[in-house]
Amino acid sequence: MNTYPPAGQRPTEPPRVRPGSDGEHRVQRRMGTTERADRFYGEQVLDRLNDRMRAFVARQEMFFLATADRHGACDNTFRAGPPGFLHVLDDTTLAYPEYRGNGVHASLGNIEENPQVGLLMVDFLRDRVGLHVNGRAAVVADAEIRRAHPRLPADQVPGRKALVWVVISVEEAYIHCAKHIPHLQKAPARGTGRPWGTDDAKRKGGDFFGAAAEAPQRGPYLPPPRPDATPWRPDATAWRADATAWRAEAEQALARAARYARAGSGTVSGTVAEAEAEAGAEEGAAGGEAFSGWFTRSAPA
C-alpha cells in the first residue's frame, strides 16, 4: 500500500483510515488495482469540501441523489433548482430544499431509515467533470434551518418553496473523472419557463412510459400498515410473529366480508347489521379490536 504525502513532504495531519468499503478493497486485490486505488485515495478523496469544490457546488443546477432503506434496497433520483440551490453551509455541510413533488417521498423515507446518502454532481456544460459527495443526511424543518442559518435565501418562485431541508454532513468528497462525460449545450428556454410545483400531468411528462395505461391490468395494493401495528424489529422470529398477526387480521377481514355478502344476497338468514354484530362479537371474544378498515382482493371473472 502506498503512503501519502510523497517522500520529502511532511504530513500536516495525522494518518487516516483508508477510504472505501471492505468489498471494494477485496475487488481491488482480486483485480490487481490496489496500488492505483491507493493513489486515488491519497490524492483525491477528501473528508471535506475544499475551496474549488465549494465553488463547483455553488454553481450547480442539478445533482443525482442515491439513498437506500434499512434493508439496503436502493433508490436513485434527480434534484434540480436554480444555481446554488444546493447550499454550502460550511466545508463539511451541505443543504438543499425539498420542493413539492409527487408525494411519494422515497428519498426522505429512505433517509428516515438509513441516513447514508451519495450525491453526484456533473458539469456537462463547462468543465465536463463531476464531484461525488458521500455522507449522512438529516431532514430539517424550514424554520429550524433558518434559525441556525438566518442568511439562507428564501426562494420567491411559486413551486420552489421548501417543504423541508435535507442537511448532509460530508464524509467523502472526490472527483468523477472527465474522460467519459459528454459535452452538452443548454437549450434556449421555451414557453413560460419551468413548471415548478405543477400538477399538470402533461407538463410533468404525461404517461411517457405507458405505466398508467397498464394500471387496470395490475392488482390492487394491500392496505397500508395500521398506526398501532407492531414496529419492525430486525430479527427473524419477530418478523414471523408480525407476519402471522397480519395474516390473521387479513383472513378475519376477508371472512367478515364474505358474511356481509351472504347476508346481503339473502343466502343466509339475517341482515347485514346482524352479520356485523356477529363478526364484532367474534372479535371481542377473541380479545381483538374491531376491524376499522377494508380492502379488496382481485378475483378472476
Side-chain angles (χ1 to χ4, degrees):
M1 181 184 300
N2 291 344
T3 58
Y4 285 85
Q9 296 184 19
R10 295 178 61 84
T12 59
E13 296 181 1
R16 56 189 176 130
V17 176
R18 186 173 187 246
S21 68
D22 293 342
E24 69 185 72
H25 298 160
R26 287 194 297 270
V27 173
Q28 289 160 14
R29 291 193 296 271
R30 195 157 62 238
M31 303 291 285
T33 64
T34 298
E35 184 175 350
R36 189 149 39 108
D38 280 344
R39 186 163 57 250
F40 181 83
Y41 291 151
E43 294 178 351
Q44 295 294 339
V45 181
L46 308 182
D47 60 359
R48 60 178 59 85
L49 302 169
N50 64 18
D51 291 343
R52 292 187 180 184
M53 290 175 174
R54 293 196 293 273
F56 182 87
V57 172
R59 66 173 184 267
Q60 299 308 305
E61 299 180 55
M62 63 181 182
F63 65 88
F64 302 94
L65 173 68
T67 60
D69 67 13
R70 65 178 180 261
H71 306 295
C74 299
D75 180 79
N76 187 269
T77 190
F78 172 80
R79 291 290 182 268
F85 83 106
L86 178 59
H87 296 267
V88 181
L89 301 183
D90 56 51
D91 64 351
T92 60
T93 314
L94 298 174
Y96 71 89
E98 279 283 347
Y99 305 136
R100 185 177 185 274
N102 58 15
V104 174
H105 303 306
S107 299
L108 296 182
N110 284 349
I111 290 169
E112 186 163 310
E113 296 187 4
N114 175 3
Q116 297 294 148
V117 299
L119 281 66
L120 172 61
M121 290 156 267
V122 182
D123 183 345
F124 296 100
L125 307 176
R126 193 180 93 175
D127 298 316
R128 256 189 347 104
V129 73
L131 175 65
H132 291 267
V133 175
N134 299 327
R136 296 176 64 85
V139 180
V140 179
D142 184 68
E144 182 179 347
I145 195 171
R146 292 188 186 281
R147 282 195 298 270
H149 300 275
R151 296 184 179 180
L152 203 62
D155 202 319
Q156 302 302 319
V157 176
R160 288 209 309 245
K161 178 178 173 57
L163 300 179
V164 293
W165 290 76
V166 176
V167 179
I168 299 153
S169 299
V170 177
E171 295 178 343
E172 292 182 339
Y174 54 91
I175 190 172
H176 186 97
C177 71
K179 63 183 179 180
H180 297 304
I181 294 176
H183 194 180
L184 307 181
Q185 292 182 339
K186 183 177 283 191
R190 294 183 296 177
T192 58
R194 294 182 179 181
W196 297 102
T198 184
D199 280 327
D200 186 310
K202 184 176 180 180
R203 301 197 79 185
K204 292 169 69 175
D207 191 23
F208 185 86
F209 293 106
E214 298 170 354
Q217 303 170 26
R218 298 190 288 269
Y221 287 109
L222 293 174
R226 290 186 357 185
D228 60 347
T230 304
W232 176 85
R233 295 186 298 275
D235 60 273
T237 301
W239 182 89
R240 284 194 296 270
D242 291 346
T244 301
W246 182 91
R247 183 184 295 275
E249 183 172 291
E251 290 175 349
Q252 185 181 73
L254 290 172
R256 186 176 180 181
R259 286 195 294 273
Y260 271 118
R262 292 197 303 274
S265 64
T267 57
V268 295
S269 61
T271 65
V272 171
E274 289 172 345
E276 183 177 15
E278 177 188 350
E282 291 177 2
E283 290 171 0
E289 298 180 358
F291 182 71
S292 59
W294 290 99
F295 63 92
T296 60
R297 63 178 180 180
S298 59

